[in-house]
Each structure stands twice: as structure tokens, then as C-alpha cells.
Amino acid sequence: MSFPQQLIDGYRAFLVSRLRHEQDRYRALSESGQSPQIMVIGCCDSRVSPEVVFDARPGELFVARNIANLVPPYTPDGAQRAVSAALEFAVQALKVKHIVVLGHAQCGGIRAFAEESAPLSPGDFIGHWMALIAPAAKAVGPRGERPLEQYLAELEQTSVVKTLDNLMTFPCVRILVERGKLALHAAYFGVATGQLSVWDSATGRFSAVAAEEHARMFGSPRF
Ligand SMILES: [Zn+2]
């Protein structure tokens, strides 16, 4: 099977647009190395690319993506742990100043967990992985009379906040946070609206970023 034509076409577009404008930057970054100030932990979801949402240039974001933007608690058990390795590199080698956990609406992993539906099944990697959602599900409580979409949004948002707790179980993170050298943030992207919200620990709520610009350009969300 040949290399996907879509990617070849995309690369051609990259050559004549982005690379033409960013070539000097790529060259400089190849010589100096990367020194991003921000790590983003995002979902694998193809609709929620952190570099696109934050309009990031090369070298600006250190991104780790996994199903449902989760971070397992600190477990130094010798297993090969991709998230832990990325986190350790970001914090200890790159010395990022911020870690942003970026959740999103209509997350398939969260929905599968909530509905105990496919692609979850005993023995699969994803079922075991999504068990990390359990503390958030407990905090949100049973769905009860809540509409499914509302319940899922609450679960998605609570999971992002709970993931900050898991980040704090890593000694290298906790020490730097306590020294004021590293900040943790929870964010949430509405796929349908394109609205970004950020967790405010003072109010215990997510609040919209650039809400006025968003409303001016796209109108108010219908719900
Ligand atoms: Zn997702």
C-alpha cells in the first residue's frame, strides 16, 4: 500500500505555505535545540490538535497526546510508561514553565467509559487505560436525571481537573509547583463551538477564554 496521497498533498501545501515562512525558524531551532515553555497533554482525537487550537509555531509546544488526555499517577515500577517519560523530559530536561491538560467535548474515550461501550472490552488496552477515569466518575456521581451530553461534559471537565491531581503525585512536578516554578492548568475545547475554557481554581469553574471575540465572530452558542 502506498504512502497516503492526502499526506503527500498536505506536505506540498506545507512546503509552499508554512515552511516558506518558518524556514529560518526551523534552521535556528535545529541549531539551538528546542526550548518550549509549555507542555500540553492532549487527547489523540483528530479534531483537537493543540498546535492548531493554540496556533503554535514550531518549537513552542511540547505535546504528549493519549486517549482522553490522561496522566496515570506516579508509579515507579520499571514499566515503560510513555506519559511519565514525556513528563519527566518536559519538566527536568526542558524545564517547561507550564503544563496544560487539554480536554475536549465529545471525547470518545470518556463516552465509552460512561456507557461501558465499545471500544472498551476486557483485556483491551483501552479498557484498562480508561479505568483512570474512575475517580472523576466518582466525583461527578451517577448520571441520574442529567441529559447524557451534560453528564459527559461534566465528566470530561472533571477528569481534566483530576488529572492535575495525578500530575502532582510526580515528585519532580510537585516540588517545582510548590516552589512557584511550574504551573498546572486545565483547559477544555468545545469541538462544536471552537470555544476554549480554562479552569479557575478560585471559582472552581471553567471560564471561557476570549469569549467576547468568539461571540463577536461566531455569535453566542445555541445552548
Ligand atoms: Zn478525546
Side-chain angles (χ1 to χ4, degrees), residues 42-48 66-69 102-111 156:
C43 183
C44 293
D45 194 300
S46 58
R47 301 164 296 181
V48 192
N66 62 60
I67 300 290
N69 41 269
L102 177 64
H104 70 99
Q106 289 101 42
C107 184
I110 301 259
R111 188 180 189 110
E156 287 156 357

